[in-house]
Amino acid sequence: MTSNQTDQQQGHPIVLVDGVCHFCQGLTKWIIKRDPEGKYHFASLQSDVAKALLEKGNLSTDSMDTFVLIEDGKYYTRSTAALRLAKGLKFPYPLLYGLIIVPKFIRNAIYNMVARNRYRWFGKDEACMLPTPEIKDRFL
């Protein structure tokens, strides 16, 4: 990681998503619109930055079907990551965090169904999305 990337990480939760998945790209844009303070930073699971972060968190670098939130040095995946992220967005999205009371195996079963079918339902690109100049500084 470059020192600039390390500087960007400090104090900012990092979201790791599948960079070629249309659903994940759309989700990233959706988060950015609901995060006006620029709290969340992003990296593609396919990137060297994400691989280094995943290794640091003892997570698989081969799996592209998980959503990872790194917040205050802690790693959250799948539905827990999504709900924790919602908690940090502008109102009314923090209310979704109430779904954390649903047992994790039920939440993750739904998450896994979407993850398994995301390319078929939403499509994918051959390369990761290129951020616009306005949001480029939020991507590692």
Side-chain angles (χ1 to χ4, degrees):
M1 276 184 270
T2 67
S3 64
N4 185 40
Q5 289 167 330
T6 303
D7 291 345
Q8 283 182 322
Q9 292 176 47
Q10 294 177 355
H12 292 279
I14 300 169
V15 180
L16 305 178
V17 296
D18 181 349
V20 299
C21 167
H22 287 178
F23 177 74
C24 302
Q25 291 173 11
L27 179 63
T28 300
K29 292 174 188 174
W30 185 88
I31 294 166
I32 289 168
K33 285 182 182 178
R34 286 148 185 87
D35 177 27
E37 291 135 22
K39 175 179 170 179
Y40 294 102
H41 285 197
F42 304 87
S44 164
L45 284 166
Q46 290 85 351
S47 71
D48 291 337
V49 170
K51 284 183 174 74
L53 289 167
L54 290 168
E55 286 173 359
K56 185 177 177 182
N58 295 316
L59 296 174
S60 170
T61 59
D62 298 326
S63 178
M64 296 297 134
D65 68 347
T66 192
F67 177 81
V68 180
L69 173 65
I70 306 167
E71 188 175 45
D72 298 325
K74 295 181 183 158
Y75 286 67
Y76 303 95
T77 61
R78 304 187 185 277
S79 64
T80 303
L83 292 173
R84 288 191 65 87
L85 185 139
K87 187 175 168 183
L89 298 176
K90 66 181 182 179
F91 188 81
Y93 301 101
L95 297 175
L96 291 172
Y97 189 71
L99 294 172
I100 202 80
I101 66 168
V102 174
K104 191 175 184 177
F105 77 93
I106 294 172
R107 289 186 280 118
N108 281 343
I110 295 165
Y111 176 95
N112 291 339
M113 182 186 68
V114 173
R116 241 187 342 266
N117 293 293
R118 71 190 185 283
Y119 292 152
R120 187 169 8 142
W121 294 345
F122 302 101
K124 75 179 220 178
D125 289 323
E126 295 303 313
C128 296
M129 167 184 98
L130 292 175
T132 63
E134 299 82 32
I135 59 171
K136 188 174 179 157
D137 63 333
R138 294 181 64 183
F139 287 78
L140 308 179

